[in-house]
Amino acid sequence: AARRCCATTTTTTAKTWTRRRACRAAPVARRRVGVRSRASAIADDTDGAAASSSSMPEYLQNASTPSTMFTEHAWGESVELQSSLLRAMRIQWTHGFTSTPKSYPKCTHGFGEILAGMQAAACDAIFDVLPGDSVMDPFMGGGTTLIVGQTKGRRAIGVDVSPLSCFVSTHRNWRASLASLDALSALVSDAADMAKTGEFSAPPVAESSDDDGVVASEDSGVPKPWRPMRDALRARLAKVSASEVDARVFEAAWFCLSVAVQRTQKSSNKRRPKGKGKSGGSGNIVSDNADKFVKITDEYVKRVLEFQAVCNQHDPAAPEASIHNMDIRQFKLKDEDKVDAVLTSCVYPGVYDYQSFARKVRAGSGAVVTSSDAEAQPLSSTFLTTTVPGDRHWPKEWLEGEIGSRKALRSDPYSFKETWQRDTDAWVAVVADCLKSGGRAAIMVGDGANINTRTSIIEAGAKSGLIELAGCTMKHVGGTLSDGSIYNQARTEHLILLQKP
């Protein structure tokens, strides 16, 4: 019996390795069938969901009535506008921004780490009060407004000063071809196989020195367990030319790897109950990380396919979003490109440091991309092409242009309010200039640094000729929730609707 068991095991192992060798011999062809079949299935599911969406989703039903957790106040001549804005704010406060409510299309929302953002379903609800077929977000963040706008058939424009926001938003808004997704899946899977076997040769990692001559390796921000996977991907991409695949496939591969590293770091920092350790895995951390990378890339491909399917419900589908990495105060649209609507969750005074967070991510999980990779591969994103400085002397595009940062409040608290209003006047003036006549701007903003941002935004709008139509304000009723935890969004927030005459 023992001999029969051993013989069976040997035969099975031989068959397994035969299948693996065959898979590696023709990886692209095999995976192309998988991507295309998934695309077809997702399109069918999306069409079916659209056809059966006659009843109101539960999250919308819940948002149609006041919550006992918040105090809310609405203003404006139109009761209908008040109701629509309150509904959107209830969704925002109930569901946060990192996930989507049940039954709402997930698309690429929440894929990749950003500091703060708007809930996709809340954004969708705000579109009900915005006219036309185009939209702009002057504080784009992760690109929620652009994604939702495209799923509604609108031309979308996004602007953000943060290189991280533009990097994440670009990949969340990628309307990739099936061929590009085929190539991405195949390259990542091949790189994962190479990492497991160790059969690859990657270029050496560069080093940089600061003004004092202290040498630092570009490896320093990458966790050691992830370096073999990073090097395998470098080696695999080095064998591909930009003429063979869409150049954006290279950046998408690095994007998925940075997300994989982020998620692993977050999960390792979570506290586990006493006696509970990590479960699953092969015991080989390099192999486990390679599998995680493939799994996360597959998730990304699926999310992009869903995004494409929802966009394609419109005939014609909206064009791919236009994304600009710059200070909104320096932005300008040509007359023929002006928009019907602006929808944004702008900066909150003295609450976040977006540029600091972008540098932290680039030096951490974003460090999977080295300077030699940026030179050898067709990478165009500022996030990827900027070398992490060993002396912390970052280029100016990583340091300047942020409005109302917490760092600015700490640096000069006495003049912060005056500076905030001046900057708010400037970016609201740009919004007014980018709007067509009759266009509307919906602005979500929270108070901070003892500044009433409702008054601040409305005053800035009036200076630029924008008329206040309606708005609402929400505030949490107390410091804790029913389970005793402290609510993390306890600041007063407003949703303000302005119109250009």
Side-chain angles (χ1 to χ4, degrees), residues 57-60 62 90-111 117-125 142-145 147-148 151 172 299 303 306-307 310:
E58 183 179 357
Y59 75 89
L60 279 179
N62 293 338
R90 290 168 188 151
I91 296 171
Q92 175 75 20
W93 277 50
T94 302
H95 298 281
F97 77 94
T98 56
S99 61
T100 55
K102 185 179 179 181
S103 79
Y104 188 84
K106 198 168 189 179
C107 296
T108 50
H109 296 298
F111 196 94
M118 188 183 296
Q119 162 59 235
C123 179
D124 191 296
T144 299
T145 295
I147 297 168
V148 176
T151 61
R172 288 186 184 179
E299 177 193 344
R303 300 271 211 101
E306 182 182 10
F307 176 41
V310 179

Side-chain angles (χ1 to χ4, degrees), residues 122-344:
C123 179
D124 191 296
I126 297 171
F127 269 101
D128 291 344
V129 301
L130 299 179
D133 58 5
S134 56
V135 66
M136 183 182 86
D137 188 344
F139 299 94
M140 173 183 58
T144 299
T145 295
L146 312 189
I147 297 168
V148 176
Q150 289 170 88
T151 61
K152 291 181 168 296
R154 297 199 184 207
R155 173 173 62 92
I157 300 171
V159 184
D160 206 295
V161 73
S162 165
L164 171 63
S165 292
C166 291
F167 178 61
V168 172
S169 186
T170 293
H171 292 289
R172 288 186 184 179
N173 283 275
W174 189 26
R175 304 273 287 279
S177 66
L178 291 180
S180 293
L181 295 177
D182 288 339
L184 174 62
S185 295
L187 288 171
V188 168
S189 186
D190 289 348
D193 289 342
M194 293 163 63
K196 291 177 180 180
T197 62
E199 298 174 358
F200 64 88
S201 177
V205 176
E207 295 181 338
S208 60
S209 59
D210 60 19
D211 296 338
D212 298 325
V214 178
V215 177
S217 169
E218 291 187 36
D219 255 343
S220 58
V222 182
K224 286 185 178 180
W226 278 100
R227 293 177 190 175
M229 184 65 258
R230 187 275 312 274
D231 290 339
L233 181 60
R234 295 177 68 212
R236 181 65 186 91
L237 293 179
K239 299 178 181 179
V240 183
S241 68
S243 61
E244 295 179 58
V245 298
D246 182 351
R248 292 178 67 173
V249 171
F250 289 83
E251 291 200 0
W254 290 119
F255 174 62
C256 290
L257 182 59
S258 67
V259 172
V261 175
Q262 287 169 4
R263 291 188 181 179
T264 303
Q265 290 174 321
K266 282 191 171 183
S267 62
S268 65
N269 291 332
K270 288 182 178 178
R271 297 180 63 182
R272 297 181 177 84
K274 189 174 181 179
K276 297 287 185 178
K278 294 181 181 180
S279 60
S282 64
N284 183 327
I285 193 167
V286 173
S287 179
D288 290 345
N289 285 344
D291 289 338
K292 290 174 185 175
F293 182 29
V294 172
K295 183 178 179 180
I296 285 172
T297 303
D298 286 345
E299 177 193 344
Y300 176 65
V301 169
K302 180 181 178 181
R303 300 271 211 101
V304 172
L305 289 172
E306 182 182 10
F307 176 41
Q308 288 273 43
V310 179
C311 290
N312 290 339
Q313 290 180 333
H314 297 272
D315 187 18
E320 188 167 350
S322 172
I323 293 174
H324 306 268
N325 185 191
M326 63 183 300
D327 184 341
I328 183 58
R329 292 167 292 182
Q330 309 301 322
F331 186 71
K332 187 174 180 62
L333 285 177
K334 296 179 181 179
D335 289 342
E336 59 270 25
D337 295 330
K338 292 189 176 182
V339 294
D340 301 294
V342 167
L343 172 52
T344 190

Side-chain angles (χ1 to χ4, degrees), residues 70-84:
F70 319 116
T71 58
E72 54 187 44
H73 166 66
W75 68 90
E77 295 183 2
S78 170
V79 175
E80 184 179 354
L81 288 178
Q82 293 181 34
S83 299
S84 296

Side-chain angles (χ1 to χ4, degrees), residues 40-55 103 105 309-310 313:
S40 178
I42 289 172
D44 291 343
D45 290 344
T46 302
D47 292 340
S52 61
S53 61
S54 56
S55 59
S103 79
V310 179
Q313 290 180 333

